[in-house]
Amino acid sequence: MKHQAKSIRSFTGAKNFNESREFYSALGFTENVISHNMSYFHVEPNIGFYLQDAYVKDWVDNSMIFLEVDDVERYHAELTALGLHDKYKLVRLSHIHNNDWGSEVFMHDPSGVLWHFGQFHW
């Protein structure tokens, strides 16, 4: 089967929908409201995800999203400067982790979704 895909988008939930919307906007995502309980957040038109006003703890606690970035050190410095981990009670920001394949930094969103912001070395 030959795919002629244009984008891939995940769905994730939010414990507090409005707080998560505010968080992702502050993180630099653009919001397109789909309905009263769903928005599409993106950094480019086809690089994004759907945020839903729905929360199932086991689902959200096991959700991870990887966003490839061009410079993980710069990205980590910008995340630190935003101070979202100080503004939101449950948001956590890690230090940079170096792996065989590249480097990444982790951030939990206000609901517990684990983001990987990574740069490949190949």
Side-chain angles (χ1 to χ4, degrees), residues 4-5 8 10 12-13 17 20 23 42 47 54 57 62 87 89 112 114 121:
Q4 296 199 7
I8 187 166
S10 65
T12 191
F17 187 58
S20 290
F23 169 82
H42 59 93
I47 300 176
K57 183 173 176 30
N62 287 289
K87 182 176 180 180
K89 182 180 177 184
L114 178 58
H121 294 309

PDB file of all heavy atoms in Angstrom, residues 4-5 8 10 12-13 17 20 23 42 47 54 57 62 87 89 112 114 121:
ATOM      1  N   GLN A   4      -0.175   8.338   0.575  1.00  0.00           N
ATOM      2  CA  GLN A   4       0.025   9.692   0.076  1.00  0.00           C
ATOM      3  C   GLN A   4      -0.512  10.646   1.129  1.00  0.00           C
ATOM      4  O   GLN A   4      -1.430  11.422   0.880  1.00  0.00           O
ATOM      5  CB  GLN A   4      -0.653   9.865  -1.269  1.00  0.00           C
ATOM      6  CG  GLN A   4      -0.032   8.981  -2.323  1.00  0.00           C
ATOM      7  CD  GLN A   4      -0.340   9.424  -3.730  1.00  0.00           C
ATOM      8  OE1 GLN A   4      -0.913  10.474  -3.968  1.00  0.00           O
ATOM      9  NE2 GLN A   4       0.069   8.611  -4.674  1.00  0.00           N
ATOM     10  N   ALA A   5       0.088  10.538   2.305  1.00  0.00           N
ATOM     11  CA  ALA A   5      -0.375  11.282   3.475  1.00  0.00           C
ATOM     12  C   ALA A   5       0.006  12.755   3.395  1.00  0.00           C
ATOM     13  O   ALA A   5       1.015  13.114   2.791  1.00  0.00           O
ATOM     14  CB  ALA A   5       0.200  10.660   4.737  1.00  0.00           C
ATOM     15  N   ILE A   8      -0.269  13.878  10.029  1.00  0.00           N
ATOM     16  CA  ILE A   8      -0.678  12.898  11.033  1.00  0.00           C
ATOM     17  C   ILE A   8      -0.954  13.688  12.308  1.00  0.00           C
ATOM     18  O   ILE A   8      -0.192  14.589  12.663  1.00  0.00           O
ATOM     19  CB  ILE A   8       0.379  11.791  11.233  1.00  0.00           C
ATOM     20  CG1 ILE A   8      -0.168  10.699  12.147  1.00  0.00           C
ATOM     21  CG2 ILE A   8       1.686  12.364  11.756  1.00  0.00           C
ATOM     22  CD1 ILE A   8       0.668   9.426  12.133  1.00  0.00           C
ATOM     23  N   SER A  10      -2.528  13.458  16.363  1.00  0.00           N
ATOM     24  CA  SER A  10      -3.011  12.669  17.490  1.00  0.00           C
ATOM     25  C   SER A  10      -4.159  13.401  18.186  1.00  0.00           C
ATOM     26  O   SER A  10      -4.374  14.594  17.987  1.00  0.00           O
ATOM     27  CB  SER A  10      -1.873  12.423  18.479  1.00  0.00           C
ATOM     28  OG  SER A  10      -1.455  13.655  19.045  1.00  0.00           O
ATOM     29  N   THR A  12      -5.639  14.072  22.090  1.00  0.00           N
ATOM     30  CA  THR A  12      -5.306  13.959  23.502  1.00  0.00           C
ATOM     31  C   THR A  12      -6.381  14.667  24.318  1.00  0.00           C
ATOM     32  O   THR A  12      -7.121  15.501  23.805  1.00  0.00           O
ATOM     33  CB  THR A  12      -3.890  14.502  23.805  1.00  0.00           C
ATOM     34  OG1 THR A  12      -3.527  14.140  25.126  1.00  0.00           O
ATOM     35  CG2 THR A  12      -3.821  16.002  23.648  1.00  0.00           C
ATOM     36  N   GLY A  13      -6.443  14.303  25.575  1.00  0.00           N
ATOM     37  CA  GLY A  13      -7.455  14.867  26.456  1.00  0.00           C
ATOM     38  C   GLY A  13      -6.882  15.929  27.372  1.00  0.00           C
ATOM     39  O   GLY A  13      -5.671  16.124  27.456  1.00  0.00           O
ATOM     40  N   PHE A  17      -9.822  21.815  30.356  1.00  0.00           N
ATOM     41  CA  PHE A  17      -9.713  22.194  28.949  1.00  0.00           C
ATOM     42  C   PHE A  17      -9.209  23.621  28.769  1.00  0.00           C
ATOM     43  O   PHE A  17      -8.289  23.871  27.991  1.00  0.00           O
ATOM     44  CB  PHE A  17     -11.071  21.990  28.272  1.00  0.00           C
ATOM     45  CG  PHE A  17     -11.071  22.191  26.782  1.00  0.00           C
ATOM     46  CD1 PHE A  17     -10.250  21.439  25.955  1.00  0.00           C
ATOM     47  CD2 PHE A  17     -11.925  23.113  26.195  1.00  0.00           C
ATOM     48  CE1 PHE A  17     -10.263  21.605  24.566  1.00  0.00           C
ATOM     49  CE2 PHE A  17     -11.954  23.289  24.822  1.00  0.00           C
ATOM     50  CZ  PHE A  17     -11.115  22.534  24.007  1.00  0.00           C
ATOM     51  N   SER A  20      -5.525  23.979  29.728  1.00  0.00           N
ATOM     52  CA  SER A  20      -4.672  23.368  28.705  1.00  0.00           C
ATOM     53  C   SER A  20      -4.626  24.213  27.441  1.00  0.00           C
ATOM     54  O   SER A  20      -3.564  24.348  26.817  1.00  0.00           O
ATOM     55  CB  SER A  20      -5.150  21.955  28.386  1.00  0.00           C
ATOM     56  OG  SER A  20      -4.902  21.098  29.477  1.00  0.00           O
ATOM     57  N   PHE A  23      -2.226  26.953  28.202  1.00  0.00           N
ATOM     58  CA  PHE A  23      -0.867  26.406  28.235  1.00  0.00           C
ATOM     59  C   PHE A  23      -0.309  26.246  26.823  1.00  0.00           C
ATOM     60  O   PHE A  23       0.805  26.700  26.531  1.00  0.00           O
ATOM     61  CB  PHE A  23      -0.883  25.059  28.965  1.00  0.00           C
ATOM     62  CG  PHE A  23       0.395  24.278  28.833  1.00  0.00           C
ATOM     63  CD1 PHE A  23       1.477  24.557  29.652  1.00  0.00           C
ATOM     64  CD2 PHE A  23       0.511  23.260  27.902  1.00  0.00           C
ATOM     65  CE1 PHE A  23       2.664  23.841  29.530  1.00  0.00           C
ATOM     66  CE2 PHE A  23       1.687  22.540  27.775  1.00  0.00           C
ATOM     67  CZ  PHE A  23       2.766  22.838  28.589  1.00  0.00           C
ATOM     68  N   HIS A  42      -1.507  23.723  16.511  1.00  0.00           N
ATOM     69  CA  HIS A  42      -0.459  23.399  15.548  1.00  0.00           C
ATOM     70  C   HIS A  42       0.668  24.417  15.574  1.00  0.00           C
ATOM     71  O   HIS A  42       0.486  25.567  15.986  1.00  0.00           O
ATOM     72  CB  HIS A  42      -1.052  23.289  14.135  1.00  0.00           C
ATOM     73  CG  HIS A  42      -1.737  24.533  13.664  1.00  0.00           C
ATOM     74  ND1 HIS A  42      -1.096  25.498  12.936  1.00  0.00           N
ATOM     75  CD2 HIS A  42      -3.009  24.969  13.842  1.00  0.00           C
ATOM     76  CE1 HIS A  42      -1.947  26.477  12.664  1.00  0.00           C
ATOM     77  NE2 HIS A  42      -3.111  26.176  13.204  1.00  0.00           N
ATOM     78  N   ILE A  47       1.341  20.106  11.307  1.00  0.00           N
ATOM     79  CA  ILE A  47       2.075  19.575  12.461  1.00  0.00           C
ATOM     80  C   ILE A  47       1.331  20.036  13.707  1.00  0.00           C
ATOM     81  O   ILE A  47       1.502  21.163  14.175  1.00  0.00           O
ATOM     82  CB  ILE A  47       3.544  20.051  12.484  1.00  0.00           C
ATOM     83  CG1 ILE A  47       4.270  19.599  11.221  1.00  0.00           C
ATOM     84  CG2 ILE A  47       4.236  19.526  13.740  1.00  0.00           C
ATOM     85  CD1 ILE A  47       5.694  20.095  11.109  1.00  0.00           C
ATOM     86  N   ALA A  54     -11.955  16.249  27.342  1.00  0.00           N
ATOM     87  CA  ALA A  54     -12.270  14.893  27.792  1.00  0.00           C
ATOM     88  C   ALA A  54     -11.082  14.413  28.603  1.00  0.00           C
ATOM     89  O   ALA A  54      -9.936  14.656  28.223  1.00  0.00           O
ATOM     90  CB  ALA A  54     -12.498  13.975  26.599  1.00  0.00           C
ATOM     91  N   LYS A  57      -8.108   9.397  33.050  1.00  0.00           N
ATOM     92  CA  LYS A  57      -6.789   9.420  33.694  1.00  0.00           C
ATOM     93  C   LYS A  57      -5.812   8.429  33.079  1.00  0.00           C
ATOM     94  O   LYS A  57      -4.683   8.809  32.739  1.00  0.00           O
ATOM     95  CB  LYS A  57      -6.933   9.178  35.199  1.00  0.00           C
ATOM     96  CG  LYS A  57      -5.616   9.268  35.947  1.00  0.00           C
ATOM     97  CD  LYS A  57      -5.814   9.188  37.445  1.00  0.00           C
ATOM     98  CE  LYS A  57      -4.560   9.170  38.254  1.00  0.00           C
ATOM     99  NZ  LYS A  57      -3.390   9.836  37.782  1.00  0.00           N
ATOM    100  N   ASN A  62      -0.910   8.066  30.085  1.00  0.00           N
ATOM    101  CA  ASN A  62      -0.091   7.227  29.214  1.00  0.00           C
ATOM    102  C   ASN A  62       0.080   7.823  27.815  1.00  0.00           C
ATOM    103  O   ASN A  62       0.558   7.145  26.914  1.00  0.00           O
ATOM    104  CB  ASN A  62      -0.692   5.822  29.119  1.00  0.00           C
ATOM    105  CG  ASN A  62      -0.467   5.062  30.402  1.00  0.00           C
ATOM    106  OD1 ASN A  62       0.652   4.674  30.714  1.00  0.00           O
ATOM    107  ND2 ASN A  62      -1.528   4.883  31.173  1.00  0.00           N
ATOM    108  N   LYS A  87       4.458  28.368  36.363  1.00  0.00           N
ATOM    109  CA  LYS A  87       3.106  28.934  36.297  1.00  0.00           C
ATOM    110  C   LYS A  87       2.017  27.893  36.533  1.00  0.00           C
ATOM    111  O   LYS A  87       0.993  28.190  37.146  1.00  0.00           O
ATOM    112  CB  LYS A  87       2.905  29.601  34.938  1.00  0.00           C
ATOM    113  CG  LYS A  87       1.553  30.256  34.789  1.00  0.00           C
ATOM    114  CD  LYS A  87       1.413  30.980  33.470  1.00  0.00           C
ATOM    115  CE  LYS A  87       0.040  31.620  33.384  1.00  0.00           C
ATOM    116  NZ  LYS A  87      -0.168  32.335  32.130  1.00  0.00           N
ATOM    117  N   LYS A  89       0.811  24.240  38.047  1.00  0.00           N
ATOM    118  CA  LYS A  89       1.151  23.342  39.154  1.00  0.00           C
ATOM    119  C   LYS A  89       1.705  21.986  38.710  1.00  0.00           C
ATOM    120  O   LYS A  89       2.688  21.505  39.263  1.00  0.00           O
ATOM    121  CB  LYS A  89      -0.098  23.143  40.029  1.00  0.00           C
ATOM    122  CG  LYS A  89       0.123  22.264  41.231  1.00  0.00           C
ATOM    123  CD  LYS A  89      -1.136  22.118  42.053  1.00  0.00           C
ATOM    124  CE  LYS A  89      -0.900  21.181  43.212  1.00  0.00           C
ATOM    125  NZ  LYS A  89      -2.109  20.944  43.980  1.00  0.00           N
ATOM    126  N   GLY A 112      -0.943  16.025  32.384  1.00  0.00           N
ATOM    127  CA  GLY A 112      -0.076  14.871  32.548  1.00  0.00           C
ATOM    128  C   GLY A 112       0.453  14.272  31.257  1.00  0.00           C
ATOM    129  O   GLY A 112       1.210  13.310  31.283  1.00  0.00           O
ATOM    130  N   LEU A 114       2.861  13.613  28.410  1.00  0.00           N
ATOM    131  CA  LEU A 114       4.312  13.749  28.372  1.00  0.00           C
ATOM    132  C   LEU A 114       4.765  14.110  26.962  1.00  0.00           C
ATOM    133  O   LEU A 114       4.575  13.347  26.016  1.00  0.00           O
ATOM    134  CB  LEU A 114       4.987  12.452  28.817  1.00  0.00           C
ATOM    135  CG  LEU A 114       6.514  12.441  28.776  1.00  0.00           C
ATOM    136  CD1 LEU A 114       7.109  13.548  29.652  1.00  0.00           C
ATOM    137  CD2 LEU A 114       7.039  11.080  29.193  1.00  0.00           C
ATOM    138  N   HIS A 121      20.410  13.011  15.806  1.00  0.00           N
ATOM    139  CA  HIS A 121      21.797  13.274  15.408  1.00  0.00           C
ATOM    140  C   HIS A 121      22.160  12.615  14.101  1.00  0.00           C
ATOM    141  O   HIS A 121      23.306  12.645  13.694  1.00  0.00           O
ATOM    142  CB  HIS A 121      22.768  12.827  16.511  1.00  0.00           C
ATOM    143  CG  HIS A 121      22.661  13.607  17.764  1.00  0.00           C
ATOM    144  ND1 HIS A 121      22.704  14.990  17.799  1.00  0.00           N
ATOM    145  CD2 HIS A 121      22.499  13.219  19.040  1.00  0.00           C
ATOM    146  CE1 HIS A 121      22.581  15.411  19.051  1.00  0.00           C
ATOM    147  NE2 HIS A 121      22.446  14.348  19.823  1.00  0.00           N
TER     148      HIS A 121
END
